[in-house]
Each structure stands twice: as structure tokens, then as C-alpha cells.
Amino acid sequence: MTASSSITISVETPLSDDMRAMIGELNATLGSLTPDEANYSMSAEDMDGPETTVFIARVDGQAAACGALYRHADGIGELKRFYSRPQFQGLGLARRILEHVSELAAREGLTRLVLETGHNYQAARRLYEQAGFSECGPVLDYPESPYSVFYTRPLRAA
């Protein structure tokens, strides 16, 4: 990436070739770090419903990072599928996607964001903690697991 590189973040379909490739990379990475019983991967098709909004960061048009908002009942939004391709890590793309997800959730009147992440995903945990998330017990229907860490953060409606 150069000083003149263009970064865009927008809502896109998870069914594009770009996103399918990134989801495949994400699933392979998580599969190498997390036992099957604690791996909550989603396919592109799983992400293609009205309850999910997928954001993609592009650097000079190339898909570089992604993250999604998954809506649950009772005003709860779940962060899903946050990933930055290795060559784009360190650019703050995940933080910027998280800001977009948070703004959308607040505009829609959601009252709380929650997430599950791996106990050994240090970069992800730093991102969420720096964004004001607090570690908590299991959320939604996730089971207690030594491989999972759960976070929550209240939202104010926009």
C-alpha cells in the first residue's frame, strides 16, 4: 500500500468471488487455530440473509478485509466474520469496519453488540477491547468453552 492508495468500505454481497475467496481464507485460518467443536464458521450463503449486513474494505479495488453485523432478537447485534488479509493487516481496516457496523447498529436502534472470538486471537481481542467491548460470559446460544472469549458493548441509538 502506498500513500496514494485508495481505501473504500462499503456494504457488499457475500456471494461475490472476492468475498467467497476471503471467506475461504478466513475459514482456513480459523480451522488451523480452533478445534472443530469451537469453530463457528459461516459460508457465503449463511451470510446472505436479510439479518446480515457484510462490509468489505478494499484497497485500490482489492478486497482487503471484511466484517458483518448479524441481527438477533431483543435489539442485539452480533459481530461476525471480521478478517483482514495478511498483506493488509496493520492498516486499521478492521477498526474502520467495526465503526461502520457500530454506526449501522445504532441507526437501526439495536441496544447491544456482542461477539464470540477465539481465546488465542490476540489481535481480535485487542481490537474489541480498544473499541470499548467488555469481556463477559457466553452470549446468545454459544456454549461455554475454553476456546472462546465473549464480549459485549452497549449501544446508544443514533
Side-chain angles (χ1 to χ4, degrees), residues 48-157:
D48 189 41
E51 66 283 342
T52 306
T53 299
V54 177
F55 289 89
I56 298 179
R58 292 183 177 275
V59 175
D60 294 333
Q62 185 178 357
C66 62
L69 171 65
Y70 186 92
R71 296 158 189 87
H72 292 271
D74 300 323
I76 298 172
E78 182 182 6
L79 302 184
K80 298 291 287 183
R81 314 307 289 161
F82 272 70
Y83 177 68
S84 293
R85 286 181 154 155
Q87 66 269 34
F88 299 106
Q89 290 175 358
L91 301 177
L93 300 176
R95 178 188 46 77
R96 291 176 62 180
I97 291 171
L98 178 54
E99 290 169 0
H100 279 73
V101 167
S102 297
E103 289 167 5
L104 175 62
R107 276 196 316 271
E108 292 183 359
L110 299 180
T111 58
R112 184 166 64 118
L113 290 175
V114 299
L115 66 103
E116 179 275 339
T117 192
H119 74 289
N120 55 347
Y121 305 168
Q122 294 308 319
R125 294 181 68 182
R126 252 188 327 275
L127 169 71
Y128 301 128
E129 289 168 7
Q130 289 172 354
F133 284 81
S134 300
E135 198 171 326
C136 63
V139 297
L140 304 168
D141 59 354
Y142 290 101
E144 181 78 45
S145 167
Y147 304 107
S148 293
V149 179
F150 304 96
Y151 287 94
T152 185
R153 186 180 87 191
L155 284 174
R156 289 193 191 100

